[in-house]
């Protein structure tokens, strides 16, 4: 803690080199507003679309201002002196007690930032390197979920290189497995960026080309006609599931515009479910959280097929949205945990997980005597 005010200094990481950059700013602003000023000192750390790290002055109150005119800094990876160091050489490093990454998508939710924070020896909110990387790659996540006997939407993973070099073969394989309509999206992104609902052969090639702009791997999934149900999960070793919510999009599907740019989508909390459906969806949420090696938080998204009432896990988000319309905090509020308390819990879980990591040995003691092959 900082010695003067006894408050934890929380670094709020936002922005980043991702198609979800703008969503991150909205989420980070909500998290900063949710921090109890008696307990925490917020340190906004913006990462520009070019990858520059910046912190703002007292005069820069808005997060876009931090990105436009903030002080350039870098994070040192030395665990004995982890700090934000000014690149112009002025002043000492600014130390942090906990980092709260609010970065969606590439270079924020995929394990890269988490690896840097691990090297720096800093506690951070959310999943670690392995869980973040797994959950971000929807193809790999589906494979693990299948092993855990959690039903997932049928899919094919297409490497961008294969699509660009063998388009007819790839198109044939897709049409052999699926009937139209189907969904095409980047395998390693969220917020529906680069996603297309494909109704016919004529729409397939443009959809694959679009997804290939955003990722090296493309996911092609069978279209499931059903309700979109979401659950928030909170915890480390004993994760808990919130009451589920339902997304009722005003568009044909819940794309980027429907999520963030337009009004009309309905958020129903709690979702109207049969007791057996509620129990199964919550159980699948916790099982998925464990199967993907997650910690801290996640939002787990499902489809409830209309005709068969079958449940399919769609995807797991390790850094869910925290905007004014985001389901993750709304579902916890409906479950009895208001926003400010939720932020407290997430920071506590970050410190708990960091303490657990600190118990692990990373060195061995060599026995006395000759070193053998270890001698220089």
């Amino acid at each position: 803690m900082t010695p003067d005010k006894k408050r934890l200094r929380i670094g709020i990481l936002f922005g980043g080199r991702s198609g979800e950059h703008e969503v991150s700013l909205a989420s980070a602003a909500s998290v900063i507003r949710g921090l109890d000023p008696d307990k925490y000192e917020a340190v906004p750390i913006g990462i520009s679309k070019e990858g520059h790290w910046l912190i703002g002055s007292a005069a820069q109150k808005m997060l876009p201002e931090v990105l436009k005119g903030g002080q350039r800094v870098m994070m040192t990876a030395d665990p004995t002196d982890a700090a934000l160091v000014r690149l112009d050489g002025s002043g000492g490093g600014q130390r942090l007690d906990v980092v709260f990454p609010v970065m969606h998508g590439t270079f924020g939710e995929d394990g890269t930032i988490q690896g840097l924070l691990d090297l720096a020896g800093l506690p951070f909110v959310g999943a670690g390197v392995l869980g973040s990387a797994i959950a971000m790659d929807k193809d790999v996540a589906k494979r693990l979920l299948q092993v855990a006997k959690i039903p997932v939407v049928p899919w094919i993973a297409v490497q961008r290189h294969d699509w660009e070099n063998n388009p007819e073969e790839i198109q044939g394989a897709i049409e052999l497995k699926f009937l139209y309509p189907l969904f095409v999206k980047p395998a390693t992104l969220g917020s529906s960026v680069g996603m297309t609902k494909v109704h016919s052969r004529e729409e397939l090639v443009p959809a694959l080309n679009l997804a290939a702009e955003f990722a090296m791997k493309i996911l092609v999934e069978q279209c499931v006609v059903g309700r979109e149900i979401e659950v928030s999960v909170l915890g480390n070793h004993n994760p808990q599931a919130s009451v589920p919510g339902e997304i009722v999009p005003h568009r044909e599907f819940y794309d980027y515009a429907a999520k963030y740019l337009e009004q009309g989508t309905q958020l129903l909390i709690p979702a109207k479910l049969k007791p057996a459906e509620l129990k199964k969806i919550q159980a699948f949420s916790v099982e998925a959280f464990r199967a993907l090696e997650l910690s801290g938080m996640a939002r787990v998204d499902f489809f409830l097929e209309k005709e068969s009432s079958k449940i399919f896990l769609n995807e797991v988000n390790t850094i869910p949205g925290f905007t004014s319309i985001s389901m993750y905090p709304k579902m916890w509020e409906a479950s009895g945990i208001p926003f400010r308390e939720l932020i407290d819990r997430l920071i506590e879980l970050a410190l708990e997980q960091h303490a657990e990591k600190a118990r692990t040995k990373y060195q061995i003691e060599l026995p006395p005597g000759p070193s053998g092959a270890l001698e220089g």
Side-chain angles (χ1 to χ4, degrees):
M1 289 191 181
T2 53
D4 51 341
K5 296 183 180 179
K6 303 297 182 185
R7 296 187 299 168
L8 287 176
R9 185 178 288 137
I10 311 296
I12 311 297
L13 267 174
F14 67 93
R17 297 158 57 197
S18 166
E20 300 174 77
H21 180 98
E22 285 75 18
V23 182
S24 172
L25 268 68
S27 289
S30 294
V31 170
I32 290 171
R33 286 194 298 268
L35 288 169
D36 186 340
D38 293 330
K39 295 180 181 179
Y40 311 111
E41 176 190 350
V43 181
I45 308 164
I47 300 180
S48 71
K49 292 182 178 181
E50 297 74 32
H52 302 313
W53 288 47
L54 306 116
I55 56 173
S57 66
Q60 292 164 325
K61 302 294 185 183
M62 304 298 291
L63 299 189
E65 293 177 1
V66 175
L67 289 170
K68 288 179 181 177
Q71 173 73 48
R72 288 277 303 276
V73 295
M74 66 173 289
M75 169 68 73
T76 64
D78 182 347
T80 65
D81 189 31
L84 295 170
V85 178
R86 297 178 184 272
L87 290 184
D88 63 5
S90 63
Q94 184 169 18
R95 296 189 61 84
L96 303 169
D97 295 304
V98 180
V99 175
F100 199 133
V102 197
M103 298 171 62
H104 310 302
T106 317
F107 302 119
E109 200 173 354
D110 57 3
T112 50
I113 284 290
Q114 290 75 14
L116 174 59
L117 297 174
D118 267 341
L119 285 172
L122 283 171
F124 59 88
V125 170
V129 174
L130 179 61
S132 299
I134 290 171
M136 177 55 63
D137 189 318
K138 297 175 181 63
D139 171 44
V140 174
K142 282 175 179 282
R143 295 171 192 267
L144 286 174
L145 293 169
Q146 277 192 327
V147 171
K149 301 189 184 312
I150 299 171
V152 296
V153 179
W155 86 102
I156 290 178
V158 177
Q159 297 291 337
R160 180 168 64 192
H161 176 271
D162 294 339
W163 163 242
E164 291 175 345
N165 287 275
N166 303 291
E168 292 183 1
E169 181 181 331
I170 296 298
Q171 187 168 358
I174 292 170
E175 293 182 328
L176 185 64
K177 180 163 184 174
F178 298 130
L179 297 174
Y180 294 103
L182 47 84
F183 279 98
V184 176
K185 57 188 176 184
T188 53
L189 210 57
S191 290
S192 302
V193 173
M195 183 167 81
T196 307
K197 185 174 182 180
V198 177
H199 303 84
S200 64
R201 166 175 281 201
E202 291 72 27
E203 296 178 0
L204 181 58
V205 171
L208 288 162
N209 287 336
L210 175 64
E213 293 178 15
F214 292 97
M216 294 173 61
K217 185 160 56 172
I218 305 162
L219 210 69
V220 182
E221 295 177 313
Q222 183 64 66
C223 176
V224 174
V225 179
R227 299 164 62 191
E228 297 188 36
I229 308 295
E230 300 186 346
V231 177
S232 297
V233 180
L234 180 69
N236 287 336
H237 305 295
N238 298 295
Q240 303 294 315
S242 71
V243 300
E246 180 174 1
I247 304 285
V248 184
H250 67 285
R251 283 174 166 255
E252 187 176 8
F253 67 96
Y254 198 37
D255 64 0
Y256 188 94
K259 285 182 180 181
Y260 303 113
L261 304 179
E262 301 172 349
Q263 296 183 347
T265 293
Q266 291 180 281
L267 309 178
L268 306 179
I269 306 173
K272 292 181 180 179
L273 297 167
K274 297 175 182 177
E277 292 171 339
L278 170 64
K279 185 176 180 181
K280 187 173 287 188
I281 285 173
Q282 288 180 319
F284 280 154
S285 298
V286 172
E287 290 167 17
F289 192 87
R290 290 193 168 113
L292 301 185
E293 298 279 345
L294 305 185
S295 57
M297 62 180 173
R299 195 194 70 238
V300 188
D301 302 347
F302 295 89
F303 293 125
L304 180 58
E305 195 169 38
K306 288 184 178 179
E307 286 190 4
S308 67
S309 294
K310 288 182 179 178
I311 297 168
F312 296 97
L313 195 152
N314 178 30
E315 64 182 49
V316 179
N317 294 271
T318 56
I319 302 183
F322 278 86
T323 69
S324 59
I325 62 169
S326 294
M327 290 289 275
Y328 185 83
K330 282 181 171 291
M331 287 186 287
W332 276 122
E333 187 173 4
S335 304
I337 302 179
F339 193 86
R340 181 160 286 186
E341 182 181 338
L342 177 62
I343 299 298
D344 284 346
R345 294 277 290 274
L346 288 169
I347 292 170
E348 290 167 5
L349 289 166
L351 292 168
E352 175 187 285
Q353 189 74 347
H354 184 70
E356 182 66 22
K357 288 179 186 176
R359 296 179 55 217
T360 306
K361 273 190 171 184
Y362 298 106
Q363 298 179 6
I364 60 171
E365 295 181 10
L366 297 176
S371 301
L374 299 181
E375 290 183 348

